[in-house]
């Protein structure tokens, strides 16, 4: 991997990642709508709207590996999600195929499977249960990954990312927190590990309260070094006593599950 493209490079995760990946790869090509103000000598910025297929084709030219963070990172209207995350991801995989890109790491999300209860521990091969239009777009992206891996030979890794931050910010995030340094470890497996065809890993650190069975990631060489439990005492002591929506409290996706909720929760809970 010499030239690595990061889409969504000016976003929260992208900004942290650039700093950590700069010393690892010879050149980082960064794309976003807004130009970062602090470009390093080995970073090139190309402003790109991911919904513009021709622009994405040009962006992918000469690239060895892609970290696809671009698009909307929270819930949005159908039109926003459609353009940014569905059309955008399709254009990206198509651009990569045409340009002969070898590897893609796709930033999926815990919200692709957000409707699993917090009382369950899920492996990567569960049936998707998206909790939002945003989560649904991540299921689509994972599907694209499998299609382009098996049909076109791009080595693809989908990372179902929990929450990337310097430290977990609340009780829910004690289960799903991912430190930026551990994110880099996962990305490097996706970009560099020999033999990757299509893999799904959970993007979490070494979290004692995790809702995910990430043993497959460990088999692939993941050795996380951050532990959310180190922050648990402080977080739980500071956690507000505010009443949580029962749907948000029950499911892993939290407030993404309770937003716009209109089902009969008690009946669903009883039958499933
Ligand atoms: C995500 O997928 C979002 O991108 C991020 O903003 C957080 O909301 C995170 O999930 C989460 O579940 O905490």
């Amino acid at each position: 991997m010499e030239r690595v493209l990061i889409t969504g490079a000016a976003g929260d995760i992208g900004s942290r990642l650039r700093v950590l990946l700069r010393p690892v790869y010879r050149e980082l090509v960064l794309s976003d709508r807004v130009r970062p103000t602090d470009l390093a000598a080995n970073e090139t910025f190309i402003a790109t709207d991911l919904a513009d297929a021709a622009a994405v084709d040009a962006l992918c030219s000469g690239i060895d590996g892609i970290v696809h963070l671009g698009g909307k990172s929270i819930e949005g209207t159908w039109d926003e999600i459609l353009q940014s995350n569905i059309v955008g991801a399709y254009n990206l995989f198509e651009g990569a195929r045409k340009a002969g890109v070898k590897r893609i790491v796709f930033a999926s999300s815990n919200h692709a499977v957000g409707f699993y209860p917090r009382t369950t521990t899920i492996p990567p091969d569960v049936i998707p249960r998206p909790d939002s239009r945003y989560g649904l777009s991540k299921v689509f992206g994972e599907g694209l990954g499998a299609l382009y891996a098996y049909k076109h030979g791009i080595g693809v890794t989908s990372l179902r990312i929990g929450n990337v931050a310097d430290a977990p910010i609340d009780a829910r995030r004690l289960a799903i927190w991912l430190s930026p340094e551990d994110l880099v470890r996962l990305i490097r497996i996706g970009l560099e590990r020999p033999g990757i065809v299509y893999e799904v890993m959970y993007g979490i650190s070494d979290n004692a309260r995790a809702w995910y069975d990430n043993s497959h990631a460990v088999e692939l060489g993941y050795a996380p070094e951050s532990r959310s439990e180190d922050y648990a005492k402080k977080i739980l002591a500071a956690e507000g006593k505010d009443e949580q929506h029962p749907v948000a409290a029950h499911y892993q996706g939290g407030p993404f599950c309770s937003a716009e909720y209109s089902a009969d929760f008690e009946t669903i809970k009883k039958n499933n």
Side-chain angles (χ1 to χ4, degrees), residues 108-208:
S108 182
S109 167
N110 70 93
H111 297 291
V113 289
F115 266 123
Y116 280 90
R118 296 183 183 200
T119 47
T120 54
T121 303
I122 53 171
D125 57 353
V126 288
I127 292 171
R129 289 193 190 175
D131 58 21
S132 48
R133 291 175 290 277
Y134 165 68
L136 179 62
S137 75
K138 295 301 183 183
V139 176
F140 176 79
E142 291 189 12
L144 270 178
L147 174 65
Y148 279 73
Y150 290 105
K151 185 162 279 197
H152 302 301
I154 303 178
V156 180
T157 301
S158 292
L159 297 181
R160 286 189 190 143
I161 296 175
N163 186 251
V164 178
D166 293 331
I169 52 175
D170 57 22
R172 177 172 166 269
R173 270 52 172 254
L174 289 174
I176 68 167
W177 176 58
L178 174 62
S179 72
E181 292 77 15
D182 283 341
L183 172 59
V184 168
R185 293 185 176 96
L186 288 165
I187 286 174
R188 291 195 65 177
I189 293 171
L191 292 180
E192 299 172 31
R193 190 183 199 275
I196 295 276
V197 178
Y198 180 69
E199 300 291 351
V200 179
M201 299 190 276
Y202 286 99
I204 53 167
S205 285
D206 180 9
N207 301 339

Side-chain angles (χ1 to χ4, degrees), residues 4-19 21-22 28-39 43-48 50 59 67-71:
V4 171
L5 164 66
I6 306 176
T7 67
D12 187 54
I13 298 184
S15 305
R16 294 162 189 276
L17 213 52
R18 283 172 51 209
V19 178
L21 290 183
R22 264 179 213 155
L28 297 183
V29 177
L30 311 176
S31 102
D32 211 308
R33 291 171 196 242
V34 198
R35 184 189 191 83
T37 48
D38 57 343
L39 290 185
E43 291 180 318
T44 309
F45 177 74
I46 304 177
T48 317
L50 295 174
L59 182 67
V67 182
H68 181 45
L69 306 170

Side-chain angles (χ1 to χ4, degrees), residues 216-256:
H216 185 58
V218 172
E219 279 162 24
L220 291 172
Y222 182 43
E225 289 187 10
S226 307
R227 294 154 26 104
S228 69
E229 208 54 22
D230 296 347
Y231 304 86
K233 225 168 149 186
K234 203 164 144 210
I235 296 274
L236 294 173
E239 187 84 348
K241 299 276 172 282
D242 299 349
E243 204 46 23
Q244 251 200 87
H245 191 293
V247 171
H250 182 69
Y251 291 115
Q252 297 176 358
F256 283 67

